[in-house]
Amino acid sequence: MLENFSFRTIGEYLPLFGQGLVTTVWLSVVSFAGALLVGIVLCALNLQRSRPLRAPAKAYIDIIRSTPLLVQLYFLYFGLPRLGIILPEFVVGVLALSLNSGAYVAEIVRAGILSIPRGQVEAAIASGMTYRQRMRLVILPQAFKVTIPPLLSQAIVLVKDSALLSLISVAELTRAGQLLASDRFMPAEGFLTVAAFYLLLYYCLKGVAALSGRWLGLRPARGRA
Amino acid sequence: LDDIVKRGELRVAVQTQGPPFSLIDSKGERTGSSVELAKLMAQEMGVKINFLDFDWDGLIPALLSGKADLLVADMTPTLARAMKVAFTNPYMYTGSTVFTKGDGKFKTADDCKAPGTKIAVLLGATGEKEAKKAFPEADIKSYKGGGPLLLDAVNNGQADCGVNDVSAVKGQSTAYPAGTFTIMPDLLSKEPLAFATRYDEPDLLIWMNLFLDQVTIDGRLEQNLNYWVNSEDWKKDH
Amino acid sequence: MIWQQLESLYGSYPLALRGLGMTALLSLIALAGGTLIGFGLGILRTAGNRVLAGIIGAWVDLIRGTPFLVQIFIVFFILPELGLELDAFSAGIVALVNLNACFICEIVVAGIDSVPKGQVEAALASGLARWQRMRLVVLPQAMRVVLPPLVGQYVLLVKDSSVVSAIGLTDLTRVGWLVVQRVPNGLLVFFLVGVGYFIVCYPLILLARRLEARLGAGQGEVQL
Amino acid sequence: MIEFRGVNKWFGPLHVLNDIELSVQPREVVVVCGPSGSGKSTLIRCINGLEQIQKGDLVVDGQRLGDKATDMTLLRTEIGFVFQSFNLYPHKTALENVTLAPIHVRKTPRAQAEEYGRELLVKVGLGDKFDAYPAQLSGGQQQRVAIARCLGMRPKIMLFDEPTSALDPEMISEVLDVMVSVAEEGMTMMVVTHEMGFARSVAQRVVFMDRGAIVESGTPDAFFSNARTERARAFLGKILRH
Amino acid sequence: MIEFRGVNKWFGPLHVLNDIELSVQPREVVVVCGPSGSGKSTLIRCINGLEQIQKGDLVVDGQRLGDKATDMTLLRTEIGFVFQSFNLYPHKTALENVTLAPIHVRKTPRAQAEEYGRELLVKVGLGDKFDAYPAQLSGGQQQRVAIARCLGMRPKIMLFDEPTSALDPEMISEVLDVMVSVAEEGMTMMVVTHEMGFARSVAQRVVFMDRGAIVESGTPDAFFSNARTERARAFLGKILRH
Ligand SMILES: Nc1ncnc2c1ncn2[C@@H]1O[C@H](COP(=O)(O)OP(=O)(O)OP(=O)(O)O)[C@@H](O)[C@H]1O
Ligand SMILES: Nc1ncnc2c1ncn2[C@@H]1O[C@H](COP(=O)(O)OP(=O)(O)OP(=O)(O)O)[C@@H](O)[C@H]1O
Ligand SMILES: [Mg+2]
Ligand SMILES: [Mg+2]
């Protein structure tokens, strides 16, 4: 497959890859915003003291985490119409990715909040702040810093997961490769190009992570033997 | 060919999701029209057969990388594809057909020409090209994951109608209650189906073409197609 | 209608069991292999050799940054051109083990970095050699931080293993696709597939949470 | 100002406060000492409700803790609390640490809060560190910001939980100096500390705790020169020896 | 036993050790003091190679650090190091903390190592805590285990970096007592500490550092009663006042 690897054909398909890349990026951005929203709401529920609020959030997170995205996607795409809700594929895809990633985001944010030293919370309580003021002024700004790196890892996962949307006819990056593979019977060209584009996105996100780490003044590694 | 005989085994790549050409029956055995033909081939060669089943994405790499000797699926030999693999002579002709929901507002294939009609097709399949040609104004949605997904999409209302290989549609729609789908009688196109091998195996290609001639003459091909493709007899047995 | 479908579904249960078995087997081997190699890579990466750390880091990035499907294709279809012929099962295992080793490597590095510097210095000061420091002092303490995300990674691994169906291994997801051809109720079929994964994954998630609670108990949870 | 009447508290099976009777008058400075684990921190944490009591009455500034009518959040604004580990907000500058609660809790206009905040920082000797983040300050400087942060709320009572025990020896005196000046302005203070010099020079009363109970209570002079109980003498022997 | 000859060290642009000349004789006890950041820790950390020097010679037990011929791992087994923050292994019991290095580095048979370990724990007053984990011990107890851990290797030299400054006041004396008894057995010791009582009673020499340089060095009596430099007097004023 490699000996007559055809860069020329890849060139021919480049516009298609370009469109796919744009769709993937756009899709990921919107889905990740959705995931943050879902995650924060879930996490807020999960940190409540009242059980009736906490339990459903916990159950949701567990179910999402223990079933494959494919199954969740299938359910949204073919299940919603049974309830009379027909949404465009792009919307269903974004919804599925947001709902799925949201569960992971919720866990990340929760870990971030719980990592804030107890003394910080006590200092805020002692100065007469209400629960919401403590959250807004003291806990969340500090938790934000801790959650940025794992959130970016989750973003990387989401970008790659978005490939699954080719299943329900969203024309994203992976699909461009599949087209090249099945129209021209050039699988190596198709899939390696796709991989290169994903790798590009990965390094972009990693760059953002490194920058934000420096900007937030995260301390470097320690404790090596 | 020599290698196959030496090995004593014919390695055939088949697609999982394609009744009636290839399917897993209720006993978990692989069978179907193409599969049975391949078995016949192995029998004529006097070797064992080994099926490698792949998703559509894996079929072509399997053949190109030499993991499989030949590729047996409902594949249309387009000229672009033939640049890469060697197709046999067509062993049957089929065509893409349009289907809609049984009680839908689309009565004929021409109704689908209305701008904005949502048409479900399979990614990379010939149906996709035919649909684009026949319904330039329509909104073509290409799915991955096999024919049943198209039926589901149309049944659930995500698409107004679907375009796929006629025998596939006929084969798969019977799993639904009668009347769920209307299948338009007229075909969008007439398409050959063929098996494929690599160009570096010219002797195998010659042999396969000869095999197809033989089974056509002695009726075994017709028998196969009648059982699997042109009727629904197989449903009873599998 | 539903009954009839359930009936024909029931007929597919040996296939489903085989799928579940394949998923479990793949996951188990990849789990063991990935953990072993992942720890090895993690330890090598923190051992202080910049070149080695750079190479491992680049490899981990490469694997984390590309779709797993492509990795499988490369192992199964392209490696043979370089002279390494693998059957589908071995190729799936190799790709899965590699993927997990890379993710676990990251987890282990984070764990090792979380061990206070003073611990290493104490070990250094008492004359423990490098490998002794790692084995006797650093790793046991790193496990606190490593265990919860490690189990979390196992859950992801079980789900990722479905990608190997692309090279023809009949795992649980693929059984879903096969069955749906005969029983055209995708919702039902994939609901059952989901249940299958849930059965495997949920205990792991509970385990991760227990570990987290137990190991975090020392620090005491914040009362907000 | 602060009145413990038969206060009891348990952590699970552990009886950490045992029938505490103690009353602190306005403008009084009380030093609390005692062995580690004797319940000193718990005692003063109860006063602003960081811990809840399980039996007895605790009345602070005329309000009974645990009453429905008592608004804890409001009461806390009247009580400053200085922690052993400073607990400055690491994401805020020194000045922001001081003005955060006045602006958001007291709703003081920002300009006014900042003016007063600067004044306080000058007072604790940090006139040049308004915009420094906690990480850029030494321990002694951080603790002085923490004291200024409490003063920013113009509290009626200040509580200190071992304010100098996380500090390098040379920095202890700079913090003690600030505490002395706060005391001299007439603040009601309860201070958990082992700095006996501070107790001698500023406190009106020293309270000695052991195993959750108040064992002795008296003027610093009486306590240091002739403690009545054996336990207190043993304790003093240990901390004054080296 | 330990000899600094013109030792210099930089952290990036920061000159933390500036032409250090110092020689410690066998069985001598030297106390190092000075303001925070003056380089005390760095000084003693260089001795067992936790930090590397960049200029000058440092000879320990006859071996020149940095020489190819010097086996650091071996040399370290001759040098005990006690940290301010104890750094006990939290996943090992007190006894295991003491026996870990003897068993794995010295290859002492386990039974023998354990016997000696128990003996040492008894000696530091922890005869009843063999199987306790660090988290179950008070600070003072942990530091005593840490000292026993060093003694377990039968070192020729012991280095202490502020061994009591993370401790509650009552626990300081129990640790100092153990250190005194170690000194009395004739161990060569370098101790960074601000416990002037310890310096007075045990040290043969006090070294005062400031900004990376040794500013004064003399007998405790001479140093405390009339320090020669202004800087040393100011420092002593601060730490002795409260
Ligand atoms: N949140 C808690 N849960 C359970 N036990 C606790 C808790 N906080 C404190 N204790 C226990 O209550 C007792 C009293 O603790 P407290 O912190 O009040 O002592 P202290 O006198 O302040 O000691 P120190 O001088 O060490 O600060 C101790 O035995 C401690 O272990
Ligand atoms: N790893 C390091 N990297 C950079 N600078 C360092 C490092 N360790 C110490 N320093 C700096 O070197 C100087 C001396 O530090 P050192 O810890 O030796 O002082 P010290 O006298 O022990 O102070 P303290 O009493 O606070 O322990 C300080 O200014 C410190 O900030
Ligand atoms: Mg306390
Ligand atoms: Mg130091």
Side-chain angles (χ1 to χ4, degrees), chain E:
Chain E
M1 201 73 176
I2 307 173
E3 188 142 357
F4 289 79
R5 295 191 204 122
V7 167
N8 279 273
K9 174 166 181 64
W10 289 262
F11 279 123
L14 192 72
H15 200 165
V16 275
L17 292 183
N18 189 349
D19 267 333
I20 300 287
E21 299 279 348
L22 177 69
S23 131
V24 179
Q25 304 309 316
R27 308 176 73 88
E28 194 180 11
V29 176
V30 175
V31 161
V32 182
C33 65
S36 179
S38 58
K40 309 179 296 293
S41 300
T42 311
L43 181 80
I44 64 166
R45 286 163 61 87
C46 286
I47 295 171
N48 73 342
L50 284 178
E51 307 284 354
Q52 262 138 39
I53 64 173
Q54 275 126 24
K55 220 181 103 191
D57 286 335
L58 176 48
V59 180
V60 179
D61 195 22
Q63 294 177 280
R64 203 174 143 273
L65 300 201
D67 260 8
K68 286 240 173 63
T70 306
D71 179 347
M72 272 319 288
T73 308
L74 204 67
L75 183 57
R76 281 185 183 125
T77 62
E78 310 292 347
I79 308 173
F81 198 107
V82 177
F83 298 85
Q84 175 179 2
S85 49
F86 329 141
N87 292 343
L88 291 186
Y89 308 129
H91 58 299
K92 302 273 182 194
T93 64
L95 185 58
E96 286 167 350
N97 263 282
V98 177
T99 57
L100 185 82
I103 291 174
H104 289 95
V105 179
R106 285 252 194 270
K107 311 286 178 206
T108 315
R110 178 177 296 271
Q112 194 180 325
E114 289 191 348
E115 198 193 313
Y116 188 50
R118 286 206 196 85
E119 203 174 292
L120 285 171
L121 284 173
V122 170
K123 189 170 143 186
V124 300
L126 295 171
D128 53 342
K129 299 285 182 186
F130 296 154
D131 298 324
Y133 283 90
Q136 299 162 338
L137 299 174
S138 76
Q141 293 171 331
Q142 289 191 51
Q143 193 62 298
R144 285 183 281 156
V145 173
I147 294 174
R149 176 171 69 175
C150 288
L151 293 174
M153 292 293 281
R154 303 174 195 265
K156 295 185 184 159
I157 302 172
M158 296 248 313
L159 308 172
F160 295 81
D161 190 2
E162 310 206 25
T164 58
S165 65
L167 296 179
D168 282 338
E170 340 144 54
M171 292 165 181
I172 292 179
S173 51
E174 66 193 40
V175 171
L176 290 179
D177 288 348
V178 169
M179 289 168 60
V180 170
S181 84
V182 172
E184 281 168 354
E185 286 174 15
M187 179 69 73
T188 309
M189 287 166 65
M190 270 186 85
V191 184
V192 176
T193 186
H194 295 115
E195 293 296 335
M196 294 307 155
F198 174 83
R200 270 213 187 87
S201 61
V202 185
Q204 275 94 49
R205 198 149 36 120
V206 176
V207 170
F208 175 71
M209 289 186 72
D210 191 20
R211 281 182 238 157
I214 293 182
V215 178
E216 278 203 49
S217 159
T219 63
D221 279 347
F223 181 69
F224 291 120
S225 48
N226 50 15
R228 272 172 293 130
T229 57
E230 177 56 37
R231 271 187 273 172
R233 278 196 297 275
F235 175 78
L236 285 171
K238 272 191 187 164
I239 68 165
L240 296 177
R241 180 152 61 113
H242 43 87

Side-chain angles (χ1 to χ4, degrees), chain B:
Chain B
L1 195 55
D2 286 344
D3 290 342
I4 296 170
V5 177
K6 221 178 283 165
R7 207 188 305 128
E9 181 184 77
L10 179 65
R11 296 172 310 178
V12 182
V14 294
Q15 192 191 1
T16 327
Q17 292 125 313
F21 297 100
S22 164
L23 67 144
I24 304 276
D25 70 13
S26 52
K27 290 190 280 307
E29 299 294 323
R30 169 155 305 287
T31 180
S33 166
S34 315
V35 171
E36 293 306 321
L37 279 175
K39 282 185 187 158
L40 211 55
M41 255 187 257
Q43 192 187 324
E44 292 292 341
M45 286 182 188
V47 296
K48 280 192 299 185
I49 191 153
N50 182 13
F51 287 110
L52 309 161
D53 50 351
F54 293 100
D55 290 346
W56 181 260
D57 284 339
L59 277 180
I60 302 118
L63 181 64
L64 291 179
S65 68
K67 292 270 176 195
D69 302 313
L70 49 110
L71 200 162
V72 168
D74 47 337
M75 196 171 270
T76 310
T78 65
L79 291 175
R81 288 169 175 176
M83 303 279 288
K84 284 285 175 182
V85 302
F87 286 104
T88 61
N89 298 331
Y91 64 93
M92 68 169 284
Y93 289 86
T94 175
S96 298
T97 187
V98 183
F99 63 93
T100 74
K101 237 178 140 149
D103 50 3
K105 56 185 175 355
F106 296 87
K107 296 297 173 225
T108 69
D110 282 348
D111 291 345
C112 302
K113 289 204 170 100
T117 306
K118 288 179 280 184
I119 299 179
V121 299
L122 279 184
L123 176 71
T126 28
E128 190 182 13
K129 308 240 155 34
E130 296 303 332
K132 277 185 184 146
K133 219 183 319 161
F135 313 113
E137 309 250 15
D139 171 12
I140 309 281
K141 301 180 169 201
S142 347
Y143 291 82
K144 259 182 59 85
L149 209 60
L150 296 185
L151 296 174
D152 260 347
V154 170
N155 191 25
N156 282 317
Q158 272 112 347
D160 300 314
C161 48
V163 174
N164 200 8
D165 182 89
V166 62
S167 35
V169 173
K170 281 188 178 149
Q172 291 154 8
S173 63
T174 49
Y176 290 81
T180 311
F181 298 104
T182 313
I183 300 169
M184 310 288 175
D186 36 349
L187 296 182
L188 290 180
S189 62
K190 183 174 166 165
E191 283 167 15
L193 293 182
F195 300 146
T197 181
R198 284 184 305 277
Y199 279 117
D200 59 9
E201 302 264 16
D203 42 355
L204 182 58
L205 182 62
I206 294 169
W207 189 90
M208 279 162 66
N209 278 331
L210 202 62
F211 167 83
L212 286 177
D213 286 347
Q214 287 285 336
V215 291
T216 312
I217 291 166
D218 64 20
R220 281 187 285 179
L221 178 61
E222 206 184 336
Q223 192 188 336
N224 174 300
L225 294 179
N226 280 340
Y227 178 73
W228 289 100
V229 183
N230 301 330
S231 74
E232 283 158 19
D233 293 346
W234 61 274
K235 297 248 157 175
K236 295 193 290 284
D237 306 334
H238 294 281

Side-chain angles (χ1 to χ4, degrees), chain A residues 118, chain D residues 11 14 16 35-42 51 162 194, chain E residues 168:
Chain A
R118 196 193 182 97
Chain D
F11 279 123
L14 192 71
V16 274
S36 180
S38 56
K40 309 179 296 294
S41 300
T42 311
E51 306 285 354
E162 311 206 25
H194 294 115
Chain E
D168 282 338

Side-chain angles (χ1 to χ4, degrees), chain D residues 152-163:
Chain D
M153 293 291 280
R154 305 176 192 264
K156 296 185 185 158
I157 302 171
M158 297 249 313
L159 308 173
F160 295 81
D161 191 1
E162 311 206 25

Side-chain angles (χ1 to χ4, degrees), chain C residues 53-156:
Chain C
I55 294 173
I56 296 176
W59 180 252
V60 168
D61 276 350
L62 191 69
I63 296 303
R64 294 216 316 157
T66 50
F68 183 47
L69 180 70
V70 177
Q71 294 166 23
I72 285 207
F73 275 9
I74 291 177
V75 173
F76 191 57
F77 295 124
I78 295 190
L79 280 193
E81 295 191 16
L82 310 173
L84 187 66
E85 188 80 43
L86 293 169
D87 63 45
F89 186 77
S90 321
I93 291 290
V94 166
L96 264 176
V97 165
N98 174 51
L99 180 78
N100 277 283
C102 286
F103 278 95
I104 290 171
C105 168
E106 294 271 288
I107 293 173
V108 169
V109 168
I112 289 176
D113 282 348
S114 78
V115 176
K117 205 171 168 213
Q119 290 293 320
V120 183
E121 291 187 341
L124 206 60
S126 59
L128 292 173
R130 184 193 293 284
W131 173 237
Q132 290 175 323
R133 293 200 292 273
M134 189 47 91
R135 184 169 57 91
L136 298 170
V137 177
V138 176
L139 274 187
Q141 296 185 58
M143 286 317 284
R144 288 170 59 92
V145 176
V146 166
L147 268 181
L150 186 66
V151 180
Q153 175 59 31
Y154 292 159
V155 176
L156 294 179

Side-chain angles (χ1 to χ4, degrees), chain A residues 1-3 46-47 49 58-59 61-72 74-80 82 100 104 107 110-111 113-118 121-122 125 131 134-135 139 153 156-157 160-161 163 167 174 178 187-188 191-192 194-203 206 220-225, chain C residues 45-48 53 57-58 60-71 73-74 77-78 81-82 99 103 106 109 112-117 120 130 133-134 138 152 155-156 159-160 162 173 177 180 184-188 190-195 197-199 201-202 205-206 208-209 212 219-224:
Chain A
M1 262 183 290
L2 288 182
E3 61 265 32
N46 202 0
L47 288 172
R49 277 197 207 127
K58 220 169 181 153
I61 292 173
D62 283 354
I63 291 174
I64 293 287
R65 293 215 312 163
S66 19
T67 52
L69 176 61
L70 168 71
V71 171
Q72 294 156 17
Y74 208 100
F75 260 76
L76 278 179
Y77 193 62
F78 293 115
L80 282 184
R82 298 272 166 101
N100 177 276
Y104 293 89
E107 295 282 276
R110 196 176 82 104
I113 287 177
L114 292 181
S115 76
I116 304 304
R118 196 193 182 97
V121 186
E122 290 188 342
I125 292 178
Y131 178 83
R134 299 201 287 275
M135 269 294 181
I139 299 172
S153 303
I156 291 167
V157 172
K160 291 208 283 172
D161 277 351
L167 206 65
T174 305
Q178 282 160 342
F191 291 117
L192 290 181
V194 166
F197 276 111
Y198 276 108
L199 202 58
L200 182 78
L201 290 178
Y202 172 80
Y203 280 118
K206 230 187 130 165
R222 53 201 187 114
R224 300 192 166 178
Chain C
R45 200 173 163 187
T46 52
V60 168
D61 276 350
L62 191 69
I63 296 303
R64 294 216 316 157
T66 50
F68 183 47
L69 180 70
V70 177
Q71 294 166 23
F73 275 9
I74 291 177
F77 295 124
I78 295 190
E81 295 191 16
L82 310 173
L99 180 78
F103 278 95
E106 294 271 288
V109 168
I112 289 176
D113 282 348
S114 78
V115 176
K117 205 171 168 213
V120 183
R130 184 193 293 284
R133 293 200 292 273
M134 189 47 91
V138 176
V155 176
L156 294 179
K159 293 190 279 171
D160 281 347
S162 73
T173 303
W177 286 117
V180 89
N185 187 341
L187 281 181
L188 184 62
F190 280 95
F191 172 75
L192 293 176
V193 170
V195 170
Y197 278 99
F198 187 83
I199 291 171
C201 294
Y202 188 58
I205 285 185
L206 286 185
R209 190 162 295 143
E212 213 167 330
Q219 278 110 308
E221 275 208 355
V222 184
Q223 190 76 72
L224 295 175

